[in-house]
């Protein structure tokens, strides 16, 4: 399925285990990615508890749109979601220059500040994530407890003879 | 977008949609206008809100800072279980009163 709205890009490609999204770096498109992700997890039967997934995904996308792309709607953000071994893998990349993620991760958010909590939330809600060296690409893994994840674990066990 | 109800000194604001980056700027402006109008007891009612992201949290903290500076207080009510946990994790309950949704 492809959706192109004038100069703004929003494309979704479906494959058996995941979806690939490419979109213009706008805040409204983050909501559209969240909607597509909802449909995807429903299709994959992993809807049991998805608040944490949507939260960390939104934080990663906000970083990519606001900081990575500087709010420039001409820039493209890509987001790939796939189900792998009972986990949801989320890869987000923007066309920006990256940032000093090592320095930012080492800092605690200022409790009185009205910004700077995105990475703090990711640290609290996603045990497994890493940036590329430059800081314009991020991969996150969220373990899912669902029928599908459970079945995959069971099918990975050696068969009884 | 957000509805505001007046009751004596109190103003209740219901965003009635997720408090996330795409709506944050308009919501921030609306709340700032309410604070500037002299309201001293601002209640943000999150009934039906399913998601608050870091940008939305930023709006709440900024509004709390503005109300406090003006000698008032802000509280957040009807917070879903997931969002309540997020607010506790981010220690927002140390800034303003946060009440979970009943039941």
């Amino acid at each position: 399925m492809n959706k192109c709205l004038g100069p703004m890009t929003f494309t979704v490609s479906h494959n058996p285990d995941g979806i690939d999204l490419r979109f213009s770096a706008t805040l409204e498109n983050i909501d559209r990615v969240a909607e597509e992700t909802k449909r995807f997890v429903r299709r994959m039967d992993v809807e049991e508890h998805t608040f944490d997934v949507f939260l960390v995904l939104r934080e990663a996308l906000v970083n990519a749109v606001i900081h990575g792309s500087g709010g420039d709607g001409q820039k493209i953000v890509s987001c790939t979601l796939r189900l792998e071994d009972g986990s949801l893998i989320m890869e987000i990349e923007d066309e920006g220059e990256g940032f000093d993620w090592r320095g930012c991760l080492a800092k605690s958010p200022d409790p009185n500040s009205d910004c700077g909590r995105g990475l703090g939330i990711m640290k609290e809600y996603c045990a497994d994530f890493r940036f590329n060296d430059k800081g314009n690409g991020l991969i996150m893994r969220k373990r899912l407890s669902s029928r599908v994840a459970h079945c995959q674990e069971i099918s990975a066990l050696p068969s009884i003879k | 977008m957000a509805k505001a109800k007046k009751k004596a000194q109190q103003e209740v604001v219901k965003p009635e949609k997720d408090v996330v980056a795409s709506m944050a700027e308009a919501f921030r402006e609306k709340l700032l206008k309410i604070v500037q109008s002299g309201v001293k007891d601002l209640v943000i009612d999150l009934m039906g809100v399913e998601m608050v992201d870091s940008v939305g949290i930023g709006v709440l903290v900024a509004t709390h800072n503005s109300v406090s500076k003006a000698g008032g207080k802000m509280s957040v009510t009807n917070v879903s279980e997931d969002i309540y946990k997020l607010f506790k994790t981010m220690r927002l309950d140390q800034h303003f009163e946060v009440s979970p949704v009943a039941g």
Side-chain angles (χ1 to χ4, degrees), chain B residues 3-7 10-14:
Chain B
K3 284 184 187 168
K5 276 187 188 171
K6 258 191 184 141
K7 195 174 78 177
Q10 195 183 65
E11 182 110 3
V12 181
V13 180
K14 293 185 176 190

Side-chain angles (χ1 to χ4, degrees), chain A residues 84 87-90 126 128-129 139-143:
Chain A
E84 188 181 288
S87 292
L88 182 66
I89 314 293
M90 298 170 268
C126 188
D128 189 0
F129 72 92
I139 181 164
M140 302 186 288
R141 177 190 291 267
K142 278 292 283 180
R143 187 104 195 118

Side-chain angles (χ1 to χ4, degrees), chain B residues 1-90:
Chain B
M1 44 164 213
K3 284 184 187 168
K5 276 187 188 171
K6 258 191 184 141
K7 195 174 78 177
Q9 300 289 312
Q10 195 183 65
E11 182 110 3
V12 181
V13 180
K14 293 185 176 190
E16 295 183 326
K17 54 156 73 168
D18 290 349
V19 181
V20 293
S22 57
M23 62 79 86
E25 204 45 51
F27 193 43
R28 182 194 299 265
E29 281 170 22
K30 181 187 174 62
L31 291 170
L32 191 62
K33 273 186 192 151
I34 291 171
V35 174
Q36 285 168 347
S37 75
V39 167
K40 298 287 188 243
D41 183 5
L42 178 60
V43 179
I44 299 178
D45 184 343
L46 294 189
M47 182 61 85
V49 173
E50 293 177 357
M51 178 58 69
V52 178
D53 68 6
S54 62
V55 185
I57 288 175
V59 172
L60 297 179
V61 172
T63 305
H64 161 75
N65 290 344
S66 303
V67 180
S68 301
K69 209 179 274 180
K73 65 163 186 149
M74 186 191 95
S75 56
V76 185
T77 61
N78 289 322
V79 179
S80 77
E81 194 180 331
D82 286 323
I83 297 172
Y84 187 73
K85 187 180 146 226
L86 170 66
F87 285 2
K88 292 282 257 187
T89 303
M90 301 312 286

Side-chain angles (χ1 to χ4, degrees), chain A:
Chain A
M1 178 173 45
N2 282 323
K3 297 174 190 172
C4 287
L5 300 172
M8 285 289 143
T9 298
F10 192 92
T11 66
V12 189
S13 313
H14 294 268
N15 52 61
D17 296 317
I19 50 173
D20 298 321
L21 301 115
R22 281 174 54 78
F23 58 95
S24 305
T26 68
L27 297 176
E28 290 70 26
N29 277 340
I30 294 176
D31 295 342
R32 297 179 70 187
V33 172
E35 284 305 312
E36 292 293 340
T37 307
K38 265 182 205 169
R39 276 195 276 276
F40 170 65
V41 296
R42 214 172 288 145
R43 175 161 66 95
M44 292 286 121
D45 204 6
V46 287
E47 215 181 352
E48 247 174 56
H49 190 80
T50 47
F51 177 84
D52 296 9
V53 168
F54 289 120
L55 180 63
V56 295
L57 179 61
R58 276 187 176 277
E59 295 307 333
L61 294 171
V62 163
N63 274 341
V65 168
I66 297 180
H67 303 299
S69 311
D72 177 359
Q74 299 300 312
K75 291 205 164 108
I76 298 292
V77 175
S78 66
C79 172
T80 300
L81 309 173
R82 67 177 188 277
L83 209 56
E84 188 181 288
D85 298 332
S87 292
L88 182 66
I89 314 293
M90 298 170 268
E91 288 185 64
I92 293 98
E93 195 168 338
D94 62 66
E95 297 180 326
E97 295 306 310
F99 73 110
D100 174 23
W101 54 270
R102 294 173 186 86
C104 289
L105 279 176
K107 279 192 273 184
S108 292
D110 175 356
N112 293 309
S113 172
D114 61 357
C115 61
R117 287 184 177 78
L119 282 181
I121 289 175
M122 277 166 50
K123 276 198 281 187
E124 291 287 346
Y125 278 82
C126 188
D128 189 0
F129 72 92
R130 61 179 189 275
F131 286 96
N132 63 6
D133 193 53
K134 188 177 161 188
N136 72 328
L138 167 70
I139 181 164
M140 302 186 288
R141 177 190 291 267
K142 278 292 283 180
R143 187 104 195 118
L144 299 166
S145 57
S146 72
R147 270 200 311 246
V148 169
H150 190 56
C151 288
Q152 285 186 347
E153 278 170 7
I154 289 172
S155 67
L157 293 171
S159 56
I160 299 166
K161 289 183 182 170

